[in-house]
Amino acid sequence: MRSGGFVSVSRPVITSIVLILSLYCFHVFALKSQLLTRHGGVTDLNAQDTVINYETCYFDQKIDHFGFLEDGTFKQRYLVNNEHWDQKGGPILFYTGNEGDITWFCNNTGFMWDVAEDLGAMLVFAEHRYYGESLPFGQDSYSDTKHLNYLTSEQALADFSVLIRELKRKVLGAQESPVIAIGGSYGGMLSAWLRMKYPNVVVGALAASAPIWQFPDMVPCGDFYKIVTQDFARSGLNCDINIRRSWKAIDNITATDDGLQWLSGEFSLCSPLKKTDLDGFKAWLQETWVNLAMVDYPYEANFLQPLPRWPIQVVCKHLSFDPSSVSDYQLLGGISEAARVYYNYTGNCPCLNTSSTATGNLGFIGWYYQACTEMVMPLCTDGVQDMFEPQDWNFQAFSDECNSLFGVRPRADWAATVYGGLDIASHSNIIFSNGGLDPWSSGGVTRNISDSVVAIVIPDGAHHLDLRYNNEYDPHTVLSARIQEVEYFKLWITQARKLQIPGLQSVSSRESRGSRTLASDAESNTTKWLPEIPQAADWSTPGLIGELTPPPRQDTAVCNYPFIQKLYIKPVFCSGERFWR
C-alpha cells in the first residue's frame, strides 16, 4: 500500500497442476541472501544456504464475476511451492496479492517460507488483477476507465476464491486441505475480507498491518501522521521539531531564484526546482518521512529502498540541531542528508528524483484508481500534533481530482457498506497484527473483537514486520507474535479437520488473559499458557527504539517452534537434539 549467489538444481513441483489444469507453469528460484542484502558483513543466518523455489502458473480467470455481459477471461498469475506440503490434506497458506508484482511480495513474505515446513504447508501467492502480469485486457488494461472498470477489491476476492476452489478440486491431495489466507497492508485487508466474504473457502486469515478501518467516519483522519511524528520524536532529540520547522525554511529560502538554485544543488536533484515545483517537492519529502516510518525495521532491508537498520535513528542523527539557533540553510542541509539515508544509502545514486519515492514493483496508477473509487482513506494534518504542514481532509476536492484523472467519483461509504465497517464481531478466525511504529496501525484493528477475531500488537514493529523472514535482529516481540500466529493456524487447521490435538481445545473454549492465551490439556486436565508477547518497555530504553538487546529467548520456546530454531547459533538442547543459538 501506498508497502552472494548459490547454485540450485531445480526439480519439478506440483506437476499435477500442469497436467490437470492445463495451466502455464515454469520453475523459478531466488536466493534469500539476495533478498536481504547486508552491508558490513551482517548476515541473515536463514538465508545462507536456503533457496526459494516456486512454480509460476497462470489460471484462466473471468474478467467479471458479477455480471453476464462481459464473458472474457484473462491469465491470472500465481506462484506455488509444495516442497514441504503434506499431500494427505496438508494446509495451504494462500497469500492474497497486493497492488503490485506478486514476485516482489513473495520475496518479502519470509514468514510463510519460514513456517511451511513446520505446518507441512503448500504456499500459494496469487497476483491481484491489474497488477504485475495479471492484466485483464493486456496492454489496454489501463487505456481508459472502461477497461479499468473491473479493478475492484470485490472482483479480486472472487478471483482468489475461484482459484482456491479450483486448486482444491484439481490438485491431487488438496481436496481436504484447509486454506489460510495471509496478507500484509492492502493484501492484509483482502485476507481479512476473504475470510469474511468466503468463510467456506478459507478457514482463517492473518491480516498484517491491514487498515480496514481507515475509511470515512471510522477513525480520526489525523492519527496516521501522528504516529509518523511519534516515530521520529522517539528516535532522536529534536528530530520531529526540526522537520516541522523545515517547511517554513523551504518557503524562506526558495523566495529567491538563488535560493531555488541552492536548494536544488543541496539535494542533488536530477531536475532543478522551479517555483511551481515547490508543492510537489514538499509532498515528496512528506512521503519520504512516511515511508521511513513504514519500513523502520531493526535490520538492514530492501523493501521500498535499501536502508540501514533502524533507519529513522540514522535519519535523526542529521537533525539534532538546537531549534532555537539553527539557520534555515543549516536545517535544510540536515534535511538533505536525512533524505539521502532513504534515497541513497548505497551511495550509488548520482541524483535524487522527486517523482519517485519507492520501488517500481508497486502499481501506483492502479492504486490511485482504486483510491478514487472504493478505497477512500481520509488523511489529514494539523501541524501541531504532527510535524507536517496543516492540510484538512476535503472529500469534494478529492472527488474532483479523481474525476479529472479518471472520469470517476469515489464512493466514500462503500467499503463500510460492503465489508461491515466497525461491526465485524460476527466473523471468526481472523488475526489482525499491527506494529506500534507503523502509521497504518491508525486504521487497524488493535483490540480483540471476540474470542476468534483477535489483535496482536507488536510495539516495536513497523509495517507487517511479522510477515518478513526471521532475523537475528528481530525484537523478541515479533518472534512471540509469529509464534502466536502459528498457534492460531494450528487451531484453525484442527477445527477444519474436526480432530482433537492433545493440549489444545477449540478456539471457543479458550480464555484470554492479557496478551497470553490459555489452553487446556485434554489428557492431564491441566492448563498451560501460550507464549506471551512482552511490551517494548520490557527491553528497550524509554523513548528510543532498539538501543538495547532483547532478553535471551527461552529454550522452551525454541524447542517448540522449529521455524524459530533456525535462528539459534549457540547450543540449545531439545529432547536430545542439539540446536544452536
Side-chain angles (χ1 to χ4, degrees):
M1 182 177 303
R2 274 288 309 174
S3 99
F6 298 92
V7 177
S8 168
V9 179
S10 61
R11 54 187 175 85
V13 183
I14 55 167
T15 53
S16 55
I17 291 184
V18 181
L19 299 175
I20 299 175
L21 290 181
S22 297
L23 303 174
Y24 302 97
C25 302
F26 55 91
H27 191 75
V28 176
F29 66 88
L31 301 176
K32 287 185 181 179
S33 58
Q34 293 174 332
L35 305 175
L36 291 173
T37 303
R38 293 280 182 265
H39 296 278
V42 179
T43 304
D44 177 15
L45 298 178
N46 290 340
Q48 286 181 337
D49 56 3
T50 304
V51 174
I52 297 174
N53 58 83
Y54 51 78
E55 293 279 343
T56 299
C57 304
Y58 298 86
F59 175 66
D60 287 328
Q61 191 67 259
K62 279 190 171 294
I63 291 175
D64 185 10
H65 293 285
F66 305 109
F68 298 90
L69 183 62
E70 173 57 70
D71 195 37
T73 62
F74 70 98
K75 302 293 184 185
Q76 181 185 15
R77 180 170 59 158
Y78 65 100
L79 317 175
V80 183
N81 174 283
N82 70 352
E83 179 183 358
H84 300 295
W85 182 47
D86 178 359
Q87 296 190 17
K88 297 179 180 178
I92 298 173
L93 304 184
F94 186 93
Y95 188 88
T96 49
N98 305 48
E99 69 285 19
D101 189 303
I102 191 59
T103 61
W104 186 63
F105 294 108
C106 172
N107 291 339
N108 282 281
T109 311
F111 169 72
M112 289 174 61
W113 296 92
D114 284 338
V115 304
E117 184 175 4
D118 186 23
L119 297 175
M122 178 193 295
L123 306 183
V124 178
F125 296 83
E127 191 161 66
H128 193 298
R129 57 170 54 208
Y130 285 86
Y131 296 107
E133 296 181 7
S134 301
L135 302 176
F137 299 99
Q139 294 183 349
D140 293 331
S141 297
Y142 283 85
S143 60
D144 54 41
T145 303
K146 177 182 177 181
H147 288 92
L148 279 169
N149 188 54
Y150 304 99
L151 174 51
T152 67
S153 60
E154 299 96 315
Q155 295 280 7
L157 293 175
D159 290 342
F160 297 150
S161 178
V162 169
L163 177 58
I164 291 170
R165 287 173 61 87
E166 194 69 3
L167 287 172
K168 291 188 68 174
R169 187 169 70 91
K170 293 293 183 65
V171 177
L172 184 63
Q175 287 72 26
E176 302 301 322
S177 292
V179 181
I180 296 172
I182 298 175
S185 197
Y186 171 53
M189 299 167 73
L190 293 172
S191 68
W193 291 338
L194 186 62
R195 170 62 184 170
M196 294 177 187
K197 291 295 186 180
Y198 299 94
N200 59 313
V201 175
V202 295
V203 302
L206 169 56
S209 298
I212 66 164
W213 288 344
Q214 192 69 49
F215 291 98
D217 302 321
M218 293 191 198
V219 296
C221 63
D223 285 359
F224 179 94
Y225 285 107
K226 288 180 187 176
I227 296 174
V228 176
T229 302
Q230 290 164 8
D231 290 350
F232 283 82
R234 66 186 294 187
S235 295
L237 182 66
N238 296 328
C239 193
D240 62 315
I241 297 172
N242 281 314
I243 291 176
R244 185 184 290 112
R245 288 191 68 253
S246 70
W247 312 113
K248 181 62 175 175
I250 291 172
D251 291 339
N252 293 339
I253 286 181
T254 58
T256 66
D257 291 339
D258 288 344
L260 272 173
Q261 184 177 357
W262 177 87
L263 191 65
S264 300
E266 183 66 21
F267 277 81
S268 301
L269 299 182
C270 299
S271 300
L273 287 172
K274 299 186 285 290
K275 292 276 189 185
T276 54
D277 297 330
L278 288 182
D279 286 344
F281 177 74
K282 288 182 177 180
W284 173 74
L285 277 178
Q286 179 166 318
E287 189 169 349
T288 301
W289 309 139
V290 168
N291 287 349
L292 278 162
M294 287 174 56
V295 296
D296 195 21
Y297 297 132
Y299 47 78
E300 291 186 356
N302 185 7
F303 185 53
L304 298 180
Q305 298 277 5
L307 292 172
R309 65 186 303 250
W310 296 123
I312 294 184
Q313 286 191 18
V314 179
V315 161
C316 287
K317 289 178 181 178
H318 299 287
L319 298 173
S320 60
F321 308 110
D322 180 350
S324 64
S325 59
V326 64
S327 70
D328 288 344
Y329 285 94
Q330 279 182 299
L331 177 56
L332 293 185
I335 292 288
S336 71
E337 290 301 319
R340 285 185 176 86
V341 173
Y342 182 76
Y343 291 106
N344 197 20
Y345 175 57
T346 62
N348 296 325
C349 185
C351 62
L352 303 189
N353 183 359
T354 58
S355 64
S356 177
T357 60
T359 175
N361 291 296
L362 292 173
F364 291 117
I365 296 177
W367 180 250
Y368 289 152
Y369 176 81
Q370 289 190 260
C372 279
T373 50
E374 58 179 359
M375 296 291 117
V376 182
M377 297 183 173
L379 300 176
C380 62
T381 55
D382 63 13
V384 177
Q385 299 180 83
D386 57 64
M387 61 187 190
F388 302 99
E389 291 188 299
Q391 185 172 15
D392 293 332
W393 165 249
N394 186 326
F395 177 74
Q396 186 59 52
F398 176 69
S399 177
D400 291 343
E401 183 179 359
C402 290
N403 190 53
S404 66
L405 285 172
F406 298 108
V408 299
R409 292 195 179 272
R411 298 178 183 175
D413 300 324
W414 181 241
T417 301
V418 73
Y419 296 122
L422 298 174
D423 186 9
I424 59 174
S426 62
H427 302 292
S428 64
N429 291 7
I430 304 174
I431 303 167
F432 290 99
S433 64
N434 282 280
L437 308 181
D438 181 18
W440 287 110
S441 65
S442 64
V445 179
T446 55
R447 66 180 187 275
N448 290 349
I449 303 299
S450 67
D451 288 342
S452 63
V453 178
V454 298
I456 296 177
V457 177
I458 307 164
D460 36 14
H463 202 48
H464 49 66
L465 175 61
D466 51 324
L467 291 191
R468 296 180 63 79
Y469 291 106
N470 281 329
N471 187 284
E472 61 182 318
Y473 290 107
D474 274 331
H476 186 52
T477 51
V478 73
L479 295 179
S480 298
R482 290 175 184 141
I483 287 172
Q484 273 206 338
E485 290 162 0
V486 170
E487 285 295 332
Y488 276 109
F489 289 1
K490 291 178 179 178
L491 281 169
W492 299 339
I493 293 165
T494 301
Q495 289 176 326
R497 292 172 174 167
K498 294 180 169 45
L499 296 176
Q500 181 69 37
I501 291 181
L504 293 179
Q505 295 178 349
S506 66
V507 168
S508 61
S509 67
R510 294 165 65 139
E511 304 175 36
S512 64
R513 179 174 140 187
S515 59
R516 294 193 291 177
T517 304
L518 180 66
S520 298
D521 189 312
E523 294 183 354
S524 64
N525 198 29
T526 60
T527 59
K528 63 182 180 181
W529 291 99
L530 296 182
E532 182 173 10
I533 300 179
Q535 297 298 310
D538 288 348
W539 61 269
S540 65
T541 55
L544 291 177
I545 305 169
E547 291 293 340
L548 296 182
T549 303
R553 302 169 183 123
Q554 296 181 2
D555 293 353
T556 53
V558 182
C559 298
N560 290 337
Y561 300 95
F563 72 95
I564 297 291
Q565 290 169 4
K566 299 174 185 178
L567 282 180
Y568 280 64
I569 56 175
K570 75 180 181 183
V572 174
F573 293 91
C574 304
S575 300
E577 296 186 57
R578 192 177 196 183
F579 299 96
W580 294 87
R581 169 73 171 95

